[in-house]
Amino acid sequence: MARSATIERKTKETDVRVRLDLDGRGENNIQSPVPFFDHMLVQIARHGFFDLEIAARGDIEIDAHHTVEDIGICLGEAFKKALGDKAGIRRYGRGTAPMHEALASVILDFSGRPFLVYNVDLPKARVGNFEVELVEEFFTAFCNHGGVNIHVNLAYGDNLHHIIEALFKAFARALDEATQIDPRIEGVLSSKGSLE
C-alpha cells in the first residue's frame, strides 16, 4: 500500500499544496515565496528520504508568518494521512545533526497527542527574508496538525543559518526513523492498542 498523501489548504492569506511519499528517495520540488525556508524544507525531504512537493503562495507583503505556518499545517496533515492507522511503524524517532559549529537534536513520537518542547534560544533576527522566530511556528503547526510529540533541542551553535539547518536535518532523521515499518510490530506500537 502506498504511504502517500496530498493536502491542499486555501485561505485569504495562503494557497498551499503538499504532496508527500513516505517511501521515497528524497526527491523534492519546493516552491514558496520564502527561499531560506524552501532550503530547510529540502533538508526534510533529502535527509528523511521522503519524496516531497510543496507549492505555496502567501501574503508575503505582510511577512512570512502565514506562509510558514500553513506549510507546517499541511505537512503535518500529510504525514498524519500518509501514516494511516500507523500499523507497523516504529512510532518513535531520534535525530541528531551537526552543522559546522552547531549541534541539534530532535526526538519525536507519532503518538496522536501533540505536544511541542522547544529548547532553542535564538535572537529576534532574520536569515535572508526569513524571521528566525518562525522556526518555532513551523514546528508548532506541524506538531498540532500531525498529532506528534516533538522535543527540539539545540546543544550549541553561533551561526543562525547553521543552527536552523541542523534543526531541520535532525528533524528529518527523526521523521525517517519514526515512520519506518518494523516487521516485528503487529498492529500499532502501543500497550493500549491505539495511537490517538
Side-chain angles (χ1 to χ4, degrees):
M1 181 187 305
R3 300 194 306 155
S4 61
T6 299
I7 302 292
E8 296 182 5
R9 176 180 174 87
K10 190 168 186 176
T11 72
K12 292 181 180 179
E13 300 166 338
T14 65
D15 187 351
V16 180
R17 183 179 187 276
V18 170
R19 187 187 176 287
L20 170 71
D21 183 349
L22 296 178
D23 301 309
R25 300 170 45 133
E27 295 177 3
N28 57 84
N29 183 7
I30 315 290
Q31 296 181 21
S32 88
V34 191
F36 179 78
F37 187 50
D38 289 1
H39 179 48
M40 295 305 106
L41 294 169
V42 167
Q43 306 313 311
I44 293 175
R46 193 71 192 105
H47 293 276
F49 299 96
F50 307 116
D51 289 348
L52 181 61
E53 296 176 14
I54 298 177
R57 291 181 311 199
D59 53 359
I60 201 71
E61 69 280 1
I62 295 173
D63 64 17
H65 187 284
H66 298 141
T67 304
V68 171
E69 181 179 37
D70 283 12
I71 289 173
I73 288 170
C74 291
L75 192 58
E77 290 178 354
F79 270 87
K80 185 175 184 178
K81 184 176 178 182
L83 287 170
D85 64 4
K86 302 175 191 167
I89 68 163
R90 290 183 173 174
R91 174 182 169 178
Y92 300 98
R94 175 175 51 197
T96 301
M99 180 71 183
H100 295 285
E101 85 298 341
L103 181 66
S105 69
V106 174
I107 301 171
L108 56 81
D109 173 13
F110 276 95
S111 63
R113 297 177 301 279
F115 196 92
L116 175 66
V117 176
Y118 189 78
N119 291 317
V120 183
D121 186 20
L122 298 178
K124 298 219 181 270
R126 290 176 182 262
V127 178
N129 69 341
F130 183 80
E131 298 170 66
V132 169
E133 61 192 11
L134 295 180
V135 174
E136 184 173 5
E137 294 298 328
F138 167 78
F139 280 112
T140 299
F142 184 97
C143 163
N144 289 334
H145 290 265
V148 192
N149 179 200
I150 308 174
H151 293 247
V152 182
N153 294 285
L154 174 66
Y156 42 79
D158 293 314
N159 181 286
L160 291 176
H161 186 138
H162 297 165
I163 289 169
I164 296 168
E165 189 162 338
L167 291 172
F168 275 82
K169 286 178 175 176
F171 182 50
R173 293 173 62 86
L175 287 170
D176 178 39
E177 182 176 313
T179 58
Q180 286 183 21
I181 299 291
D182 188 326
R184 298 172 298 174
I185 300 170
E186 294 183 10
V188 294
L189 186 58
S190 170
S191 58
K192 67 180 183 181
S194 174
L195 288 177
E196 288 300 328

